[in-house]
Amino acid sequence: MNSSMLKNKYIQVLRPTHWIKNIIIALPVVLSNQINYNSLVNLSLGFISFSLLASAGYILNDIKDIENDRQHSIKKNRPIAAGEIDISNAFIISLVLIIVSFAISYSIGLYPLYITIFYFVLNYFYSIIGKQIRFVDVIILSSFYIIRVFYGGSINNVNLTGWFVATLTLSVLSLSLHKRYMECKNSEMEEIAGRGYNKSNELFLQILMINFGIAAIILLNIHAYFVLSIVNPIFYVLINLSSAAILFFYFDNSNNNSEDPVNRIIKNKKLLVTLMIFLFTYIFEIIKNK
């Protein structure tokens, strides 16, 4: 393997496309309309810190899951599973990423550092044991998104409301359940390797993911009306139509059978446009009502 190909494999093992998930740390600042120079600097540092830590987690997870990945139709092509990157080298890279990530978070403050440490410990628990426990794994996967949002609030001293956290929790539970649903659906084996699920769980997971998605939309409406005091009828038309469309486009498997939420989002133009409409409508109305 030439140096160029090897370099690409090392970049691939970091999974930089998954860093897009860390944009969620900006939600507290954006929704509270507290964007300024300092908040942008902290968000930039926080994004880098969490992205490096997430990549370290992916590497450790790939090392732990190497045998199961080699049995997977897609994951077997990952650099570590395919034997293109030595396990010892991968471990050293993950260790460096963790140290740099903690250092960056510490430069922002002690509380952000504590959150990144907690995220790392939980991520490691998930890799070792958590992912094998049915439904516990879904809760942990969902908590990764919630921790990111708390981190985003902590680096800019933004307090999160219970309504916002509740709506976010239902949303990410739906995403995490869908991930497991797709793994069951795509599996050619009765038992899902390295997971606590089998093909018989497919329908139950599908029902749960749809119900949590609908519950998140309902909670969003309640929060907008009773807490934010938004009474603009056009807002509710746009927010509910776009929310329903997001569920339709995301859960639609006709053009994309990927288990990865990032892949499903960035490769679906209709979903991306709908997400933009939803975010613009929601943020615009919040700022207007402040």
Side-chain angles (χ1 to χ4, degrees):
M1 186 183 300
N2 60 45
S3 59
S4 178
M5 290 179 62
L6 186 60
K7 180 180 178 181
N8 288 336
K9 292 300 179 182
Y10 275 103
I11 293 174
Q12 185 181 339
V13 80
L14 299 178
R15 299 188 209 174
T17 54
H18 285 250
W19 292 353
I20 192 174
K21 296 176 184 176
N22 298 320
I23 293 176
I24 198 173
I25 70 172
L27 272 181
V29 170
V30 173
L31 295 179
S32 63
N33 194 23
Q34 296 185 27
I35 300 176
N36 52 51
Y37 176 77
N38 288 332
S39 67
L40 289 175
V41 170
N42 287 339
L43 284 175
S44 298
L45 290 173
F47 179 85
I48 294 171
S49 175
F50 239 90
S51 296
L52 296 179
L53 190 61
S55 289
Y58 294 139
I59 293 172
L60 292 175
N61 183 63
D62 286 353
I63 294 173
K64 169 65 175 60
D65 236 16
I66 187 168
E67 295 303 326
N68 289 327
D69 285 352
R70 285 172 175 169
Q71 301 175 38
H72 194 279
S73 58
I74 297 175
K75 295 178 182 179
K76 66 181 181 182
N77 298 316
R78 289 176 175 174
I80 295 176
E84 295 165 332
I85 293 180
D86 185 71
I87 291 178
S88 59
N89 290 340
F91 182 79
I92 292 171
I93 292 171
S94 67
L95 184 61
V96 171
L97 293 175
I98 292 166
I99 293 172
V100 174
S101 171
F102 286 170
I104 294 174
S105 286
Y106 178 68
S107 71
I108 303 173
L110 269 180
Y111 192 50
L113 174 62
Y114 295 151
I115 293 178
T116 52
I117 292 174
F118 176 71
Y119 175 88
F120 173 73
V121 171
L122 187 62
N123 197 309
Y124 189 71
F125 171 79
Y126 172 79
S127 298
I128 300 300
I129 302 172
K131 65 164 64 177
Q132 302 171 22
I133 307 173
R134 185 169 53 178
F135 300 123
V136 170
D137 65 323
V138 170
I139 294 172
I140 296 175
L141 275 175
S142 303
S143 70
F144 289 154
Y145 292 95
I146 298 168
I147 291 171
R148 285 176 170 93
V149 173
F150 272 99
Y151 181 80
S154 73
I155 60 179
N156 286 300
N157 298 314
V158 177
N159 294 320
L160 306 179
T161 67
W163 283 97
F164 171 72
V165 174
T167 305
L168 176 68
T169 301
L170 291 174
S171 301
V172 295
L173 276 171
S174 182
L175 290 177
S176 300
L177 285 163
H178 180 268
K179 180 179 176 66
R180 289 294 177 258
Y181 163 74
M182 289 305 302
E183 287 181 353
C184 291
K185 185 177 179 63
N186 292 337
S187 177
E188 298 176 356
M189 308 292 290
E190 181 62 28
E191 298 290 333
I192 314 303
R195 301 287 188 265
Y197 300 88
N198 53 54
K199 295 289 284 186
S200 64
N201 300 133
E202 187 178 323
L203 179 59
F204 184 55
L205 289 169
Q206 185 180 36
I207 293 171
L208 283 178
M209 76 185 191
I210 293 172
N211 284 338
F212 275 122
I214 294 172
I217 296 175
I218 294 172
L219 206 59
L220 183 71
N221 280 269
I222 295 173
H223 176 242
Y225 187 81
F226 289 102
V227 179
L228 301 179
S229 302
I230 297 175
V231 295
N232 182 2
I234 297 176
F235 166 82
Y236 289 100
V237 170
L238 289 174
I239 214 71
N240 283 292
L241 287 178
S242 59
S243 296
I246 288 170
L247 290 184
F248 293 147
F249 293 143
Y250 188 83
F251 292 153
D252 180 22
N253 300 321
S254 58
N255 296 316
N256 192 338
N257 282 322
S258 175
E259 304 155 8
D260 177 20
V262 174
N263 181 285
R264 295 183 72 87
I265 292 172
I266 64 178
K267 291 190 175 182
N268 191 326
K269 293 181 180 178
K270 292 179 181 178
L271 179 57
L272 283 171
V273 171
T274 311
L275 276 170
M276 290 301 103
I277 294 172
F278 171 85
L279 290 172
F280 176 80
T281 303
Y282 197 76
I283 295 171
F284 175 79
E285 198 67 29
I286 287 177
I287 293 174
K288 191 181 76 172
N289 278 271
K290 278 197 174 291

